[in-house]
Amino acid sequence: MKPEAQLAELKRGVVDLHVEADLLERLSEGRPLKIKAGFDPTRPDLHLGHTVLLNKMRQFQDLGHDVVFIVGDFTAQIGDPSGRSSTRPVPTREEIEEGARTYAEQAFKILDKKRTQIVYNGEWLGKMAFDDVIRLAGKYTLARMMERDDFKRRWAEHVSISLHELLYPLAQAYDSVVLECDVEIGGTDQLFNLLVGREIMREMGQRPQIVMTTPLLEGINARIENGKIVGAKMSKSLDNYVGVDEAPKEQLGKLMSLSDDLMWRYYELLSNAPEAEVQRLKRACAAGELNPRDAKIALAKEIVSRYHGAREADAAEASWLAQFSKREIPDDMPEHEVALEEEDVWIPKLLSDLGLVKSSSEGRRRIQQGGVEIDGDRISDPQAKLPKGGPYVIKAGKRAWATVTLK
RNA sequence: GGAGGGUUGCCCGAGCGGUCAAAGGGAGCAGACUGUAAAUCUGCCGGCUUAUGCCUACGGUGGUUCGAACCCACCACCCUCCA
């Protein structure tokens, strides 16, 4: 592919690009470029937010370039400075390796294995002596470090900044020096770190890397207010994520719970559909010609098929439609058998024992709110009991189903 | 080293002796509605089966008080300012 065409392709969905002319120049050199991206191996569960970046890396690979996948084992051993209030336990060597392994395993659902090299930055960072560190630190200034947005903000808001946090960007920059990479990519929150890489490479007499950032995807519970997206970025700890490894039904369901507005953001960042097609869908929904639900299903299926295949996506769609659109009984609910000492059991207690609700108090509430059905009959009395027998089909809310036999 | 401010439920945040299981918002849940697990509306949102009841909870430990998230002492952690 022509360098200009490659550039156009690579620029899609990218927020920052420093420096475009330089990228074009390197693409014109006709050699595979070295693309670097770093990952924190302590939380190895990949979700759709990570895939925005991985998709971009894959795009480079498809254009014939090589990806260096840096496992931040060294930085992980020091601990993430941003988690200030909750001091995270320092992971062991084994945990890091295990994390890196599962991370890579999931990443290869997107990346091309043949064009990916995995390296650990502990290989070189771990060998640096204190004077090496001081020399490296001498290449940057506090004033420049404080240009960083979150440092500036934390400083203004009187939130503490530890000294070692100032060293992080330098460590990451040094990775680039060691690897002599052409391009480093990361989320927009990484912009500063990536730019420090340029600076340090120049200081060390190297050609500064090209820096590219991809947007951060908001979590599935984000809202749109006055045209702006309100809500935290996708993360496992906030439980607003869709995991790459999750079951098809779960992925589809979570994606269907996106608000109609937010769906377009997901289209933009995750779909491979051409820009023009997305715009067409958007207009059709706005005009009332297309049910937003159907646009959402199309998106959800595209994503589910990417990780599980088209057949699974179809199956997930069918069961979703049956359960939530037609309100049928799901086909795959868990089956339980409970041995009773008495002749019957208080229903809220049973719901709690089956794990359908967190406590019998909640079970009682759910009955009062009309959310509990047994064999299709709504239970309205929170004192109600269920005699031995069954199997009973129990519904305790939209998504909590089970069958149970009482013995 | 000195002076001051702070630590509240899943998160943010109000409360500053009783009427506090603790305002408000977010998240979550249920119901209604719906072509969506969208939007909107209503309700719920510590636990204990039956409760104008009990237990647990407002950083930790003690204390004052008939009574403490609220007052006092000490401890821990965080922040700011002056050195």
Side-chain angles (χ1 to χ4, degrees):
Chain A
M1 202 187 275
K2 283 236 167 64
E4 289 77 12
Q6 287 194 41
L7 179 67
E9 191 72 8
L10 291 168
K11 275 171 70 181
R12 256 187 71 177
V14 163
V15 180
D16 304 285
L17 173 55
H18 305 263
V19 175
E20 186 174 328
D22 189 19
L23 178 57
L24 182 61
E25 192 184 320
R26 292 199 209 200
L27 289 170
S28 307
E29 288 167 15
R31 63 184 169 93
L33 300 181
K34 203 181 221 184
I35 316 303
K36 169 201 172 202
F39 294 92
D40 173 6
T42 51
R43 277 171 281 171
D45 284 307
L46 288 193
H47 55 61
L48 294 184
H50 300 111
T51 70
V52 176
L53 183 60
L54 290 167
N55 286 338
K56 184 53 70 182
M57 292 162 74
R58 173 66 198 224
Q59 208 178 20
F60 269 104
Q61 293 181 321
D62 289 344
L63 293 170
H65 304 291
D66 296 318
V67 161
V68 183
F69 187 99
I70 299 196
V71 177
D73 63 329
F74 187 78
T75 32
Q77 284 186 69
I78 301 167
D80 186 352
S82 60
R84 191 180 51 83
S85 55
S86 56
T87 355
R88 197 168 295 130
V90 177
T92 65
R93 188 73 230 167
E94 292 73 47
E95 284 167 344
I96 288 169
E97 271 168 21
E98 171 62 16
R101 204 181 53 70
T102 54
Y103 207 120
E105 200 173 283
Q106 295 175 64
F108 283 132
K109 289 187 175 183
I110 294 170
L111 295 180
D112 179 353
K113 220 168 189 160
K114 290 193 292 291
R115 292 195 168 276
T116 308
Q117 183 193 352
I118 299 181
V119 296
Y120 290 72
N121 66 5
E123 276 173 41
W124 52 88
L125 293 179
K127 287 181 188 140
M128 289 177 84
F130 196 49
D131 57 331
D132 296 324
V133 177
I134 288 173
R135 218 167 293 133
L136 177 62
K139 303 220 179 285
Y140 219 76
T141 67
L142 181 60
R144 298 229 47 196
M145 206 52 94
M146 291 307 292
E147 288 170 5
R148 186 167 138 170
D149 218 45
D150 54 2
F151 283 157
K152 217 187 298 172
R153 203 193 62 243
R154 283 163 67 183
W155 184 259
E157 290 172 5
H158 307 315
V159 177
S160 72
I161 303 169
S162 310
L163 287 180
H164 74 287
E165 294 182 69
L166 301 176
L167 295 175
Y168 265 70
L170 295 179
Q172 190 171 334
Y174 193 65
D175 291 346
S176 295
V177 171
V178 170
L179 296 168
E180 299 186 59
C181 53
D182 293 292
V183 181
E184 178 162 13
I185 64 179
T188 49
D189 58 341
Q190 287 290 311
L191 178 63
F192 180 86
N193 290 348
L194 305 183
L195 289 174
V196 173
R198 277 178 68 81
E199 222 46 52
I200 298 296
M201 287 172 91
R202 190 179 288 131
E203 283 285 327
M204 302 276 206
Q206 289 187 10
R207 196 174 172 186
Q209 63 185 0
I210 288 147
V211 161
M212 241 186 197
T213 66
T214 55
L216 299 178
L217 182 66
E218 291 77 15
I220 52 176
N221 58 0
R223 295 159 287 134
I224 309 274
E225 278 174 21
N226 307 320
K228 283 201 169 152
I229 304 176
V230 180
K233 65 179 180 178
M234 183 174 283
S235 82
K236 189 159 193 205
S237 53
L238 293 176
D239 197 23
N240 61 1
Y241 70 102
V242 178
V244 164
D245 260 359
E246 282 188 280
K249 260 185 89 165
E250 201 59 28
Q251 291 183 336
L252 188 104
K254 283 184 175 184
L255 289 166
M256 290 309 290
S257 79
L258 295 177
S259 78
D260 291 353
D261 293 325
L262 188 64
M263 157 172 75
W264 302 113
R265 172 73 169 166
Y266 276 53
Y267 254 111
E268 182 194 337
L269 297 186
L270 298 172
S271 174
N272 285 330
E275 193 75 26
E277 171 65 7
V278 177
Q279 289 308 319
R280 196 188 63 74
L281 291 174
K282 199 169 176 177
R283 276 195 304 274
C285 283
E289 291 155 16
L290 176 65
N291 180 355
R293 186 197 65 173
D294 295 328
K296 212 184 286 176
I297 286 183
L299 173 68
K301 281 180 70 181
E302 180 188 343
I303 292 168
V304 174
S305 0
R306 192 174 298 162
Y307 304 110
H308 299 284
R311 277 186 54 192
E312 289 286 348
D314 286 337
E317 176 193 18
S319 89
W320 185 84
L321 283 173
Q323 191 173 344
F324 297 106
S325 220
K326 299 182 198 145
R327 308 213 161 190
E328 287 167 5
I329 297 171
D331 44 16
D332 58 347
M333 57 188 133
E335 290 171 31
H336 297 277
E337 226 180 76
V338 175
L340 296 186
E341 289 174 15
E342 322 252 319
E343 283 311 299
D344 48 22
V345 59
W346 184 44
I347 292 173
K349 178 85 168 64
L350 177 67
L351 297 179
S352 161
D353 287 346
L354 294 176
L356 296 175
V357 296
K358 282 207 258 349
S359 64
S360 55
S361 296
E362 191 183 326
R364 159 207 294 261
R365 264 181 241 128
R366 217 169 275 194
I367 289 174
Q368 284 165 343
Q369 298 185 124
V372 177
E373 288 176 18
I374 293 179
D375 288 339
D377 295 326
R378 177 169 290 183
I379 307 297
S380 52
D381 176 12
Q383 305 312 329
K385 296 189 170 191
L386 194 61
K388 280 185 179 173
Y392 298 105
V393 173
I394 301 185
K395 179 190 186 195
K398 275 183 269 207
R399 289 190 270 165
W401 291 83
T403 63
V404 67
T405 306
L406 301 177
K407 292 199 165 169

